[in-house]
Amino acid sequence: MDENNPVEFYKKLKEQLTETSKWPSDYLYKFIVETNTDKVDKINTIFDNMGAVVNLKESKNGKYTSVSITVNLKSPDEVIEKYKKVGEIEGVISL
């Protein structure tokens, strides 16, 4: 993400999602977090009760965990809303 201009980043993302997908649609999120923190739980809470499929994979040295989440969403706005909520968690890297 362009941290210097998140408004422009999300505007461009919305345009791309609108052009490339039909909604509702499954969307795959990927995040990297430090292992052994409550950050994975916080991410899970954001996607609670949505039927999301969550996959976790620790890095080779175990320092980081990859969090992949597939969830069916109604619109590009919902995709962006979830990115913004996860972005509030310090130290989470969105891919």
Coordinates of all heavy atoms in Angstrom, one line a residue:
M1 N 0.8 -1.2 0.0 CA 0.0 0.0 0.0 C 0.9 1.2 0.0 O 1.9 1.2 0.6 CB -0.9 0.0 1.2 CG -1.7 1.3 1.3 SD -2.7 1.6 2.8 CE -2.6 0.2 3.8
D2 N 0.4 2.3 -0.6 CA 1.1 3.5 -0.6 C 0.8 4.3 0.7 O -0.3 4.9 0.8 CB 0.7 4.4 -1.8 CG 1.4 5.7 -1.9 OD1 2.3 6.0 -1.1 OD2 1.2 6.5 -2.9
E3 N 1.7 4.1 1.7 CA 1.4 4.7 3.0 C 1.4 6.2 2.9 O 0.8 6.9 3.8 CB 2.4 4.2 4.0 CG 2.3 2.7 4.3 CD 3.3 2.2 5.2 OE1 4.0 3.0 5.8 OE2 3.4 1.0 5.3
N4 N 2.0 6.8 1.9 CA 2.0 8.3 1.8 C 0.7 8.8 1.3 O 0.4 10.0 1.6 CB 3.1 8.7 0.9 CG 4.5 8.3 1.4 OD1 4.7 8.3 2.6 ND2 5.4 8.0 0.5
N5 N -0.1 8.0 0.6 CA -1.4 8.5 0.1 C -2.4 7.4 0.1 O -2.8 6.8 -0.9 CB -1.2 9.1 -1.3 CG -2.4 9.9 -1.7 OD1 -3.5 9.8 -1.1 ND2 -2.3 10.6 -2.8
P6 N -2.9 7.0 1.3 CA -3.9 5.9 1.4 C -5.2 6.1 0.7 O -5.8 5.2 0.1 CB -4.1 5.6 2.9 CG -3.6 6.9 3.5 CD -2.6 7.5 2.6
V7 N -5.6 7.4 0.6 CA -6.9 7.7 -0.1 C -6.7 7.4 -1.6 O -7.6 6.7 -2.1 CB -7.2 9.2 0.1 CG1 -8.4 9.6 -0.8 CG2 -7.5 9.5 1.5
E8 N -5.6 7.7 -2.2 CA -5.4 7.4 -3.6 C -5.3 5.9 -3.8 O -5.8 5.4 -4.8 CB -4.2 8.2 -4.1 CG -4.0 8.1 -5.6 CD -5.2 8.8 -6.3 OE1 -5.7 9.8 -5.8 OE2 -5.5 8.3 -7.4
F9 N -4.6 5.2 -2.9 CA -4.4 3.8 -3.0 C -5.8 3.1 -3.0 O -6.0 2.2 -3.8 CB -3.6 3.3 -1.8 CG -3.5 1.8 -1.8 CD1 -2.7 1.0 -2.6 CD2 -4.4 1.1 -0.9 CE1 -2.7 -0.3 -2.5 CE2 -4.4 -0.3 -0.8 CZ -3.5 -1.0 -1.7
Y10 N -6.6 3.4 -2.0 CA -7.9 2.8 -1.9 C -8.8 3.1 -3.1 O -9.6 2.3 -3.6 CB -8.6 3.1 -0.6 CG -8.0 2.4 0.6 CD1 -7.5 3.1 1.6 CD2 -7.8 1.0 0.6 CE1 -6.9 2.5 2.7 CE2 -7.2 0.4 1.6 CZ -6.8 1.1 2.7 OH -6.2 0.4 3.8
K11 N -8.7 4.3 -3.6 CA -9.5 4.7 -4.8 C -9.1 3.9 -6.0 O -10.0 3.3 -6.7 CB -9.2 6.2 -5.1 CG -10.0 6.7 -6.3 CD -9.7 8.2 -6.6 CE -10.4 8.6 -7.9 NZ -10.0 10.0 -8.2
K12 N -7.8 3.7 -6.2 CA -7.3 2.9 -7.3 C -7.7 1.4 -7.1 O -8.1 0.7 -8.1 CB -5.8 3.0 -7.4 CG -5.2 2.3 -8.6 CD -3.7 2.6 -8.7 CE -3.1 1.9 -10.0 NZ -1.7 2.1 -10.1
L13 N -7.6 0.9 -5.9 CA -8.0 -0.5 -5.6 C -9.5 -0.7 -5.9 O -9.8 -1.7 -6.5 CB -7.7 -0.8 -4.1 CG -8.1 -2.2 -3.7 CD1 -7.4 -3.3 -4.5 CD2 -7.9 -2.4 -2.2
K14 N -10.3 0.2 -5.5 CA -11.7 0.1 -5.8 C -12.0 0.0 -7.3 O -12.8 -0.8 -7.8 CB -12.5 1.3 -5.2 CG -14.0 1.2 -5.4 CD -14.8 2.3 -4.7 CE -16.3 2.1 -5.0 NZ -17.0 3.1 -4.3
E15 N -11.3 0.9 -8.1 CA -11.5 0.9 -9.5 C -11.1 -0.5 -10.1 O -11.8 -1.1 -10.9 CB -10.6 2.0 -10.2 CG -11.1 3.4 -9.9 CD -10.2 4.4 -10.4 OE1 -9.1 4.1 -11.0 OE2 -10.5 5.6 -10.2
Q16 N -9.9 -1.0 -9.6 CA -9.4 -2.3 -10.1 C -10.4 -3.4 -9.8 O -10.7 -4.3 -10.6 CB -8.0 -2.6 -9.5 CG -7.0 -1.7 -10.1 CD -5.6 -1.9 -9.4 OE1 -5.6 -2.4 -8.3 NE2 -4.6 -1.5 -10.1
L17 N -10.9 -3.4 -8.5 CA -11.8 -4.5 -8.1 C -13.1 -4.4 -8.9 O -13.7 -5.4 -9.2 CB -12.1 -4.4 -6.6 CG -10.9 -4.7 -5.7 CD1 -11.3 -4.4 -4.2 CD2 -10.5 -6.2 -5.8
T18 N -13.6 -3.2 -9.2 CA -14.8 -3.0 -9.9 C -14.7 -3.6 -11.4 O -15.6 -4.2 -11.9 CB -15.2 -1.6 -9.9 OG1 -15.4 -1.1 -8.6 CG2 -16.5 -1.3 -10.7
E19 N -13.5 -3.3 -11.9 CA -13.3 -3.7 -13.3 C -13.0 -5.2 -13.5 O -13.3 -5.8 -14.5 CB -12.1 -2.9 -13.9 CG -12.4 -1.4 -14.1 CD -11.1 -0.6 -14.5 OE1 -10.1 -1.2 -14.7 OE2 -11.2 0.6 -14.5
T20 N -12.4 -5.8 -12.5 CA -11.9 -7.2 -12.7 C -12.8 -8.3 -12.0 O -12.5 -9.4 -12.2 CB -10.5 -7.3 -12.1 OG1 -10.5 -7.0 -10.7 CG2 -9.5 -6.4 -12.8
S21 N -13.8 -7.9 -11.2 CA -14.6 -8.9 -10.5 C -16.0 -8.6 -10.6 O -16.4 -7.4 -10.7 CB -14.2 -9.0 -9.0 OG -12.8 -9.3 -8.9
K22 N -16.9 -9.6 -10.5 CA -18.3 -9.5 -10.4 C -18.6 -9.7 -8.9 O -18.1 -10.5 -8.3 CB -19.0 -10.5 -11.3 CG -18.8 -10.2 -12.7 CD -19.7 -11.1 -13.6 CE -19.5 -10.8 -15.0 NZ -20.6 -11.0 -15.9
W23 N -19.5 -8.8 -8.4 CA -19.9 -8.9 -7.0 C -21.3 -9.3 -6.8 O -22.1 -9.0 -7.6 CB -19.6 -7.5 -6.4 CG -18.2 -7.1 -6.6 CD1 -17.7 -6.4 -7.6 CD2 -17.1 -7.5 -5.8 NE1 -16.3 -6.3 -7.5 CE2 -15.9 -6.9 -6.3 CE3 -17.0 -8.2 -4.6 CZ2 -14.7 -7.1 -5.8 CZ3 -15.7 -8.4 -4.0 CH2 -14.6 -7.8 -4.6
P24 N -21.5 -10.1 -5.7 CA -20.6 -10.6 -4.7 C -19.5 -11.5 -5.2 O -19.7 -12.2 -6.3 CB -21.4 -11.3 -3.7 CG -22.7 -11.6 -4.3 CD -22.8 -10.7 -5.5
S25 N -18.4 -11.6 -4.5 CA -17.3 -12.4 -5.0 C -16.4 -12.8 -3.8 O -16.4 -12.2 -2.8 CB -16.4 -11.6 -6.0 OG -15.3 -12.3 -6.5
D26 N -15.7 -14.0 -4.0 CA -14.7 -14.3 -3.0 C -13.5 -13.5 -3.2 O -13.0 -13.1 -4.3 CB -14.2 -15.8 -3.2 CG -15.3 -16.8 -2.7 OD1 -16.2 -16.4 -2.0 OD2 -15.2 -18.0 -3.0
Y27 N -12.9 -13.1 -2.0 CA -11.7 -12.2 -2.1 C -10.6 -12.8 -1.1 O -11.0 -13.3 0.0 CB -12.0 -10.8 -1.6 CG -10.8 -9.9 -1.8 CD1 -10.5 -9.3 -3.1 CD2 -10.0 -9.6 -0.8 CE1 -9.4 -8.5 -3.3 CE2 -8.9 -8.7 -1.0 CZ -8.6 -8.2 -2.2 OH -7.5 -7.4 -2.4
L28 N -9.4 -12.9 -1.6 CA -8.3 -13.4 -0.8 C -7.4 -12.3 -0.2 O -6.9 -11.5 -1.0 CB -7.4 -14.3 -1.7 CG -6.2 -14.9 -1.0 CD1 -6.5 -15.8 0.2 CD2 -5.3 -15.6 -2.0
Y29 N -7.4 -12.2 1.1 CA -6.5 -11.3 1.8 C -5.3 -12.1 2.2 O -5.4 -13.2 2.6 CB -7.2 -10.8 3.1 CG -8.4 -9.9 2.9 CD1 -9.7 -10.4 2.8 CD2 -8.2 -8.5 2.8 CE1 -10.8 -9.6 2.6 CE2 -9.3 -7.7 2.6 CZ -10.6 -8.2 2.6 OH -11.6 -7.4 2.4
K30 N -4.1 -11.4 2.3 CA -2.9 -12.0 2.8 C -2.2 -10.9 3.7 O -2.0 -9.8 3.3 CB -2.0 -12.4 1.7 CG -2.5 -13.6 0.9 CD -1.4 -14.1 0.0 CE -1.9 -15.4 -0.6 NZ -0.8 -16.3 -1.0
F31 N -1.9 -11.4 4.9 CA -1.2 -10.5 5.8 C 0.0 -11.3 6.4 O 0.0 -12.5 6.5 CB -2.2 -10.1 7.0 CG -3.5 -9.5 6.5 CD1 -4.7 -10.3 6.6 CD2 -3.5 -8.2 6.1 CE1 -5.9 -9.7 6.1 CE2 -4.7 -7.7 5.6 CZ -5.9 -8.4 5.7
I32 N 0.9 -10.5 6.9 CA 2.1 -11.0 7.6 C 2.1 -10.4 9.0 O 2.0 -9.1 9.1 CB 3.4 -10.7 6.9 CG1 3.4 -11.2 5.5 CG2 4.6 -11.3 7.7 CD1 3.5 -12.7 5.3
V33 N 2.2 -11.2 10.0 CA 2.3 -10.7 11.4 C 3.4 -11.4 12.2 O 3.8 -12.5 11.8 CB 1.0 -10.8 12.2 CG1 -0.1 -10.1 11.5 CG2 0.6 -12.3 12.3
E34 N 3.9 -10.8 13.2 CA 4.8 -11.5 14.1 C 4.1 -12.7 14.8 O 3.0 -12.6 15.2 CB 5.4 -10.6 15.2 CG 6.4 -9.6 14.6 CD 7.0 -8.7 15.7 OE1 7.4 -9.3 16.7 OE2 6.9 -7.5 15.6
T35 N 4.8 -13.8 14.9 CA 4.3 -15.0 15.5 C 4.2 -14.7 17.0 O 5.0 -13.9 17.6 CB 5.2 -16.2 15.2 OG1 5.2 -16.4 13.8 CG2 4.6 -17.5 15.9
N36 N 3.4 -15.4 17.7 CA 3.2 -15.3 19.2 C 2.8 -13.9 19.7 O 3.2 -13.4 20.7 CB 4.5 -15.7 19.9 CG 4.9 -17.2 19.6 OD1 4.0 -18.0 19.4 ND2 6.2 -17.4 19.5
T37 N 1.9 -13.3 18.9 CA 1.3 -12.1 19.4 C -0.3 -12.3 19.3 O -0.7 -13.3 18.7 CB 1.7 -10.9 18.5 OG1 1.2 -11.1 17.2 CG2 3.2 -10.7 18.4
D38 N -1.0 -11.3 19.8 CA -2.4 -11.4 19.7 C -3.0 -10.8 18.4 O -4.2 -10.8 18.2 CB -3.1 -10.7 20.9 CG -2.8 -9.2 20.9 OD1 -1.8 -8.8 20.2 OD2 -3.5 -8.5 21.7
K39 N -2.1 -10.5 17.5 CA -2.5 -9.9 16.3 C -3.3 -10.8 15.4 O -4.2 -10.4 14.7 CB -1.3 -9.3 15.5 CG -0.6 -8.2 16.3 CD 0.6 -7.6 15.7 CE 1.2 -6.6 16.6 NZ 2.5 -6.1 16.2
V40 N -2.9 -12.1 15.4 CA -3.7 -13.0 14.6 C -5.1 -13.1 15.1 O -6.1 -13.1 14.3 CB -3.0 -14.4 14.6 CG1 -4.0 -15.5 13.9 CG2 -1.7 -14.4 13.9
D41 N -5.3 -13.1 16.4 CA -6.6 -13.1 17.0 C -7.4 -11.9 16.6 O -8.6 -11.9 16.4 CB -6.6 -13.2 18.5 CG -6.1 -14.6 19.0 OD1 -6.2 -15.6 18.2 OD2 -5.5 -14.7 20.1
K42 N -6.8 -10.7 16.6 CA -7.4 -9.5 16.3 C -7.9 -9.5 14.8 O -9.0 -9.1 14.5 CB -6.5 -8.3 16.5 CG -6.3 -7.9 17.9 CD -5.3 -6.8 18.1 CE -5.1 -6.5 19.5 NZ -4.1 -5.3 19.7
I43 N -7.1 -10.1 13.9 CA -7.4 -10.2 12.5 C -8.6 -11.1 12.4 O -9.6 -10.8 11.7 CB -6.3 -10.7 11.7 CG1 -5.2 -9.6 11.6 CG2 -6.7 -11.0 10.2 CD1 -3.9 -10.1 11.0
N44 N -8.6 -12.3 13.1 CA -9.7 -13.2 13.1 C -11.0 -12.5 13.5 O -12.1 -12.8 12.9 CB -9.4 -14.4 13.9 CG -8.5 -15.4 13.2 OD1 -8.4 -15.5 12.0 ND2 -7.7 -16.2 14.0
T45 N -10.9 -11.7 14.5 CA -12.1 -11.0 15.0 C -12.8 -10.1 14.0 O -14.0 -10.1 13.9 CB -11.8 -10.2 16.3 OG1 -11.2 -11.0 17.3 CG2 -13.0 -9.5 16.8
I46 N -12.0 -9.5 13.1 CA -12.5 -8.6 12.1 C -13.3 -9.4 11.1 O -14.3 -8.9 10.5 CB -11.3 -7.9 11.4 CG1 -10.7 -6.9 12.4 CG2 -11.8 -7.2 10.1 CD1 -9.4 -6.2 12.0
F47 N -12.9 -10.7 10.9 CA -13.6 -11.5 9.9 C -14.6 -12.5 10.5 O -15.1 -13.4 9.8 CB -12.6 -12.3 9.0 CG -11.8 -11.3 8.1 CD1 -10.6 -10.8 8.5 CD2 -12.3 -11.0 6.9 CE1 -9.9 -9.9 7.7 CE2 -11.6 -10.1 6.0 CZ -10.4 -9.6 6.5
D48 N -14.8 -12.4 11.8 CA -15.8 -13.3 12.5 C -17.1 -13.3 11.9 O -17.6 -12.3 11.4 CB -15.9 -12.8 14.0 CG -15.3 -13.8 15.0 OD1 -14.7 -14.9 14.5 OD2 -15.3 -13.6 16.2
N49 N -17.8 -14.4 12.0 CA -19.2 -14.6 11.6 C -19.4 -14.2 10.1 O -20.5 -13.8 9.8 CB -20.1 -13.8 12.5 CG -20.0 -14.3 13.9 OD1 -19.9 -15.5 14.2 ND2 -20.0 -13.3 14.8
M50 N -18.4 -14.4 9.3 CA -18.6 -14.1 7.8 C -18.4 -15.3 7.0 O -18.4 -15.2 5.7 CB -17.6 -13.0 7.4 CG -17.8 -11.7 8.1 SD -16.6 -10.4 7.5 CE -17.2 -10.2 5.8
G51 N -18.1 -16.4 7.6 CA -17.8 -17.6 6.8 C -16.5 -17.6 6.2 O -16.2 -18.3 5.2
A52 N -15.5 -16.9 6.7 CA -14.2 -16.7 6.2 C -13.4 -18.0 6.4 O -13.5 -18.7 7.4 CB -13.5 -15.5 6.8
V53 N -12.6 -18.4 5.4 CA -11.6 -19.5 5.6 C -10.3 -18.9 5.9 O -9.7 -18.1 5.1 CB -11.6 -20.3 4.3 CG1 -10.6 -21.4 4.4 CG2 -13.0 -20.9 4.0
V54 N -9.7 -19.2 7.0 CA -8.4 -18.7 7.5 C -7.4 -19.7 7.5 O -7.6 -20.8 8.0 CB -8.6 -18.1 8.9 CG1 -7.3 -17.5 9.4 CG2 -9.7 -17.0 8.9
N55 N -6.2 -19.4 6.8 CA -5.1 -20.3 6.8 C -3.9 -19.6 7.4 O -3.6 -18.5 7.0 CB -4.8 -20.8 5.4 CG -5.8 -21.7 4.8 OD1 -6.2 -22.7 5.4 ND2 -6.4 -21.3 3.7
L56 N -3.2 -20.3 8.3 CA -2.0 -19.7 9.0 C -0.8 -20.6 8.6 O -0.9 -21.8 8.5 CB -2.2 -19.7 10.5 CG -3.4 -19.1 11.1 CD1 -3.4 -19.2 12.6 CD2 -3.4 -17.6 10.7
K57 N 0.3 -19.9 8.3 CA 1.5 -20.6 8.0 C 2.7 -19.8 8.6 O 2.9 -18.7 8.3 CB 1.7 -20.7 6.5 CG 3.0 -21.5 6.1 CD 3.1 -21.7 4.6 CE 4.4 -22.4 4.3 NZ 4.6 -22.5 2.9
E58 N 3.5 -20.5 9.5 CA 4.6 -19.9 10.1 C 5.8 -19.9 9.1 O 6.0 -20.8 8.3 CB 5.1 -20.6 11.4 CG 4.2 -20.3 12.6 CD 4.8 -20.8 13.9 OE1 6.1 -21.0 13.9 OE2 4.1 -21.0 14.8
S59 N 6.6 -18.8 9.2 CA 7.8 -18.7 8.4 C 8.8 -19.8 8.9 O 8.7 -20.5 9.9 CB 8.5 -17.4 8.6 OG 8.9 -17.1 9.9
K60 N 9.8 -20.0 8.1 CA 10.8 -21.1 8.3 C 11.4 -21.0 9.7 O 11.6 -22.0 10.4 CB 11.9 -21.0 7.2 CG 12.9 -22.1 7.3 CD 13.9 -22.0 6.1 CE 15.1 -22.9 6.3 NZ 16.0 -22.7 5.2
N61 N 11.7 -19.8 10.1 CA 12.4 -19.6 11.4 C 11.3 -19.4 12.5 O 11.7 -19.2 13.7 CB 13.4 -18.5 11.4 CG 12.8 -17.1 11.1 OD1 11.6 -17.0 11.0 ND2 13.6 -16.1 10.8
G62 N 10.1 -19.3 12.2 CA 9.0 -19.2 13.2 C 8.8 -17.8 13.7 O 8.0 -17.6 14.6
K63 N 9.5 -16.8 13.1 CA 9.3 -15.4 13.6 C 8.0 -14.7 13.1 O 7.5 -13.9 13.9 CB 10.6 -14.6 13.2 CG 10.6 -13.2 13.8 CD 11.9 -12.5 13.5 CE 11.8 -11.1 14.2 NZ 13.0 -10.3 13.9
Y64 N 7.6 -15.1 11.9 CA 6.4 -14.5 11.4 C 5.4 -15.5 11.0 O 5.7 -16.7 10.7 CB 6.8 -13.7 10.1 CG 7.7 -12.5 10.4 CD1 9.1 -12.6 10.3 CD2 7.2 -11.3 10.9 CE1 9.9 -11.5 10.6 CE2 8.0 -10.2 11.2 CZ 9.3 -10.3 11.0 OH 10.1 -9.3 11.3
T65 N 4.1 -15.1 10.9 CA 3.1 -15.9 10.5 C 2.3 -15.3 9.3 O 2.0 -14.1 9.4 CB 2.1 -16.2 11.6 OG1 2.7 -16.9 12.7 CG2 0.9 -17.0 11.2
S66 N 2.1 -16.1 8.3 CA 1.3 -15.6 7.1 C -0.1 -16.0 7.4 O -0.5 -17.1 7.8 CB 1.8 -16.3 5.9 OG 0.9 -16.2 4.8
V67 N -1.0 -15.0 7.2 CA -2.4 -15.2 7.5 C -3.1 -14.9 6.1 O -3.1 -13.8 5.6 CB -3.0 -14.2 8.5 CG1 -4.5 -14.4 8.8 CG2 -2.2 -14.2 9.8
S68 N -3.7 -16.0 5.6 CA -4.5 -15.9 4.3 C -6.0 -16.1 4.7 O -6.3 -17.1 5.4 CB -4.1 -17.0 3.4 OG -2.7 -16.8 3.0
I69 N -6.8 -15.2 4.2 CA -8.2 -15.2 4.5 C -9.0 -15.1 3.2 O -8.8 -14.2 2.5 CB -8.6 -14.1 5.5 CG1 -7.8 -14.2 6.8 CG2 -10.1 -14.1 5.7 CD1 -8.0 -13.0 7.7
T70 N -9.9 -16.1 3.0 CA -10.8 -16.1 1.8 C -12.2 -15.9 2.3 O -12.6 -16.6 3.2 CB -10.7 -17.4 1.0 OG1 -9.3 -17.6 0.6 CG2 -11.6 -17.3 -0.2
V71 N -12.8 -14.8 1.8 CA -14.2 -14.5 2.3 C -15.0 -14.0 1.1 O -14.5 -13.3 0.2 CB -14.1 -13.5 3.5 CG1 -13.5 -12.2 3.0 CG2 -15.5 -13.3 4.1
N72 N -16.3 -14.3 1.2 CA -17.2 -13.8 0.1 C -17.7 -12.4 0.6 O -18.3 -12.3 1.7 CB -18.4 -14.8 -0.1 CG -19.2 -14.4 -1.3 OD1 -20.1 -13.5 -1.2 ND2 -18.9 -15.0 -2.4
L73 N -17.5 -11.4 -0.3 CA -17.9 -10.0 0.0 C -18.9 -9.5 -1.0 O -18.8 -10.0 -2.2 CB -16.7 -9.2 0.2 CG -15.7 -9.5 1.3 CD1 -14.5 -8.7 1.2 CD2 -16.4 -9.4 2.7
K74 N -19.7 -8.5 -0.7 CA -20.7 -8.0 -1.6 C -20.2 -7.0 -2.6 O -20.8 -6.8 -3.6 CB -21.8 -7.4 -0.7 CG -22.5 -8.4 0.1 CD -23.6 -7.8 1.0 CE -24.2 -8.8 1.9 NZ -24.8 -8.2 3.1
S75 N -19.1 -6.2 -2.2 CA -18.7 -5.1 -3.0 C -17.2 -4.8 -2.8 O -16.7 -5.1 -1.7 CB -19.5 -3.9 -2.7 OG -19.3 -3.4 -1.5
P76 N -16.6 -4.0 -3.7 CA -15.3 -3.5 -3.5 C -15.2 -2.7 -2.2 O -14.1 -2.7 -1.5 CB -15.0 -2.7 -4.7 CG -15.8 -3.2 -5.8 CD -17.1 -3.7 -5.0
D77 N -16.3 -2.0 -1.8 CA -16.2 -1.2 -0.6 C -16.0 -2.0 0.6 O -15.4 -1.6 1.6 CB -17.5 -0.4 -0.5 CG -17.6 0.8 -1.5 OD1 -16.6 1.3 -1.9 OD2 -18.8 1.0 -2.0
E78 N -16.6 -3.2 0.6 CA -16.4 -4.1 1.8 C -15.0 -4.6 1.8 O -14.4 -4.7 2.9 CB -17.4 -5.4 1.6 CG -18.7 -5.2 2.2 CD -19.5 -6.5 2.4 OE1 -19.6 -7.2 1.4 OE2 -19.9 -6.7 3.5
V79 N -14.4 -4.9 0.7 CA -13.0 -5.3 0.7 C -12.1 -4.2 1.3 O -11.3 -4.5 2.2 CB -12.5 -5.5 -0.8 CG1 -11.0 -5.7 -0.8 CG2 -13.2 -6.7 -1.4
I80 N -12.3 -3.0 0.9 CA -11.5 -1.8 1.4 C -11.8 -1.6 2.9 O -10.9 -1.3 3.7 CB -11.8 -0.6 0.6 CG1 -11.3 -0.8 -0.8 CG2 -11.3 0.7 1.2 CD1 -11.7 0.2 -1.9
E81 N -13.1 -1.7 3.3 CA -13.4 -1.6 4.7 C -12.6 -2.5 5.6 O -12.1 -2.2 6.7 CB -14.9 -1.8 4.9 CG -15.3 -1.8 6.4 CD -16.8 -2.2 6.5 OE1 -17.6 -2.1 5.6 OE2 -17.1 -2.7 7.6
K82 N -12.5 -3.8 5.2 CA -11.7 -4.8 5.9 C -10.2 -4.5 6.0 O -9.6 -4.6 7.0 CB -11.9 -6.2 5.4 CG -13.4 -6.7 5.5 CD -13.8 -6.8 7.0 CE -15.2 -7.3 7.1 NZ -15.7 -7.2 8.5
Y83 N -9.7 -4.0 4.8 CA -8.3 -3.6 4.8 C -8.0 -2.5 5.8 O -7.0 -2.5 6.5 CB -7.9 -3.1 3.4 CG -7.3 -4.2 2.5 CD1 -7.9 -4.5 1.3 CD2 -6.2 -5.0 2.9 CE1 -7.4 -5.4 0.4 CE2 -5.7 -6.0 2.0 CZ -6.3 -6.2 0.8 OH -5.8 -7.2 0.0
K84 N -8.9 -1.5 5.8 CA -8.8 -0.4 6.8 C -8.8 -0.8 8.2 O -8.0 -0.4 9.0 CB -9.8 0.7 6.5 CG -9.6 1.4 5.2 CD -10.7 2.5 5.0 CE -10.4 3.3 3.7 NZ -11.4 4.3 3.5
K85 N -9.7 -1.8 8.5 CA -9.8 -2.3 9.9 C -8.6 -3.0 10.3 O -8.0 -2.8 11.4 CB -11.0 -3.1 10.1 CG -12.3 -2.3 10.2 CD -13.5 -3.2 10.4 CE -14.8 -2.4 10.5 NZ -16.0 -3.2 10.8
V86 N -8.1 -3.9 9.4 CA -6.8 -4.6 9.7 C -5.7 -3.7 9.8 O -4.8 -3.8 10.6 CB -6.6 -5.7 8.7 CG1 -5.2 -6.4 8.9 CG2 -7.7 -6.8 8.7
G87 N -5.7 -2.6 9.0 CA -4.6 -1.6 9.0 C -4.5 -0.9 10.3 O -3.4 -0.3 10.6
E88 N -5.5 -0.9 11.1 CA -5.4 -0.3 12.4 C -4.6 -1.1 13.4 O -4.2 -0.6 14.5 CB -6.9 -0.1 13.0 CG -7.7 1.0 12.2 CD -9.1 1.0 12.6 OE1 -9.5 0.4 13.6 OE2 -9.9 1.7 11.9
I89 N -4.4 -2.3 13.1 CA -3.6 -3.2 14.0 C -2.1 -2.9 13.7 O -1.6 -3.2 12.6 CB -3.9 -4.7 13.8 CG1 -5.4 -5.0 14.0 CG2 -3.1 -5.6 14.7 CD1 -5.8 -6.3 13.5
E90 N -1.4 -2.5 14.7 CA 0.0 -2.1 14.5 C 0.9 -3.3 14.2 O 0.7 -4.4 14.8 CB 0.5 -1.5 15.8 CG 1.9 -0.9 15.7 CD 2.4 -0.2 16.9 OE1 1.6 0.2 17.7 OE2 3.6 -0.1 17.1
G91 N 1.7 -3.2 13.2 CA 2.7 -4.2 12.8 C 2.2 -5.2 11.8 O 2.9 -6.2 11.5
V92 N 1.0 -5.1 11.3 CA 0.5 -6.0 10.3 C 0.8 -5.5 8.9 O 0.6 -4.4 8.6 CB -1.1 -6.2 10.4 CG1 -1.6 -7.0 9.3 CG2 -1.5 -6.7 11.8
I93 N 1.4 -6.4 8.1 CA 1.8 -6.1 6.8 C 0.7 -6.7 5.8 O 0.5 -7.9 5.9 CB 3.2 -6.6 6.4 CG1 4.2 -6.0 7.4 CG2 3.5 -6.4 5.0 CD1 5.6 -6.7 7.3
S94 N 0.1 -5.8 5.0 CA -0.9 -6.3 4.0 C -0.1 -6.5 2.7 O 0.6 -5.7 2.3 CB -1.9 -5.2 3.8 OG -2.7 -5.0 5.0
L95 N -0.4 -7.7 2.1 CA 0.2 -8.0 0.8 C -0.8 -7.9 -0.3 O -2.0 -7.9 -0.1 CB 0.7 -9.5 0.8 CG 1.8 -9.7 1.9 CD1 2.2 -11.2 1.9 CD2 3.0 -8.9 1.7

